[in-house]
Amino acid sequence: QVQLVESGGGSVQAGGSLRLSCAASGYNSNRYCMGWFRQAPGQEREGVARIDDDGSTSYADSVKGRFTISKDNAKNTAYLQMNSLKPEDTAMYYCAVSGTFCSLGTIYLGYGGQGTQVTVSS
């Protein structure tokens, strides 16, 4: 059974930083693409960042230059370092892993976690 556990969310003031972690277990595939997507109440889901097996990354335009995704293959854990946070970054952040869906628009179709809330106040 695939299980993803996100952590690291919280409340910060604008300009602050948070680091999200996502630990995956029970996932067996030749490809280990991991990513983050977010959803705020009343808004559409948005792919935020993703990282593939070869280390290639993609970011939403809204977070480029502020967020960094990384992956520790030995620990099957992905991280999302979020700097210069803005109120519009407020959302529930979800981690996902997939061997098939590895774009910002499709990573949510993979195995997902329960999410971690990020709240940024102005």
Side-chain angles (χ1 to χ4, degrees), residues 5 10 13 25 34 37 39 71 87 89 96 109:
V5 179
Q13 290 191 330
S25 60
M34 298 187 77
F37 63 96
Q39 189 159 24
K71 183 158 62 86
D89 294 319
L109 293 172

Side-chain angles (χ1 to χ4, degrees), residues 1-3 24-33 76 97-100 111:
Q1 182 179 355
V2 179
Q3 186 175 19
S25 60
Y27 178 74
N28 296 301
S29 174
N30 291 330
R31 188 183 186 187
Y32 217 99
C33 180
N76 293 336
V97 62
S98 177
T100 303
Y111 294 98

Side-chain angles (χ1 to χ4, degrees), residues 1-107:
Q1 182 179 355
V2 179
Q3 186 175 19
L4 298 176
V5 179
E6 300 105 330
S7 62
S11 298
V12 296
Q13 290 191 330
S17 298
L18 285 172
R19 188 191 192 209
L20 306 184
S21 298
C22 171
S25 60
Y27 178 74
N28 296 301
S29 174
N30 291 330
R31 188 183 186 187
Y32 217 99
C33 180
M34 298 187 77
W36 296 87
F37 63 96
R38 65 187 181 186
Q39 189 159 24
Q43 296 189 20
E44 292 188 359
R45 179 180 47 236
E46 178 185 27
V48 175
R50 71 91 171 134
I51 183 167
D52 207 342
D53 273 344
D54 61 0
S56 61
T57 58
S58 298
Y59 296 94
D61 288 343
S62 57
V63 306
K64 279 181 182 177
R66 300 188 297 121
F67 290 11
T68 302
I69 188 171
S70 59
K71 183 158 62 86
D72 185 330
N73 293 326
K75 296 181 179 179
N76 293 336
T77 299
Y79 305 95
L80 186 67
Q81 178 67 42
M82 306 186 296
N83 299 327
S84 301
L85 282 162
K86 303 176 182 180
E88 49 263 45
D89 294 319
T90 295
M92 185 71 80
Y93 283 70
Y94 300 89
C95 174
V97 62
S98 177
T100 303
F101 307 105
C102 197
S103 71
L104 292 179
T106 61
I107 189 66

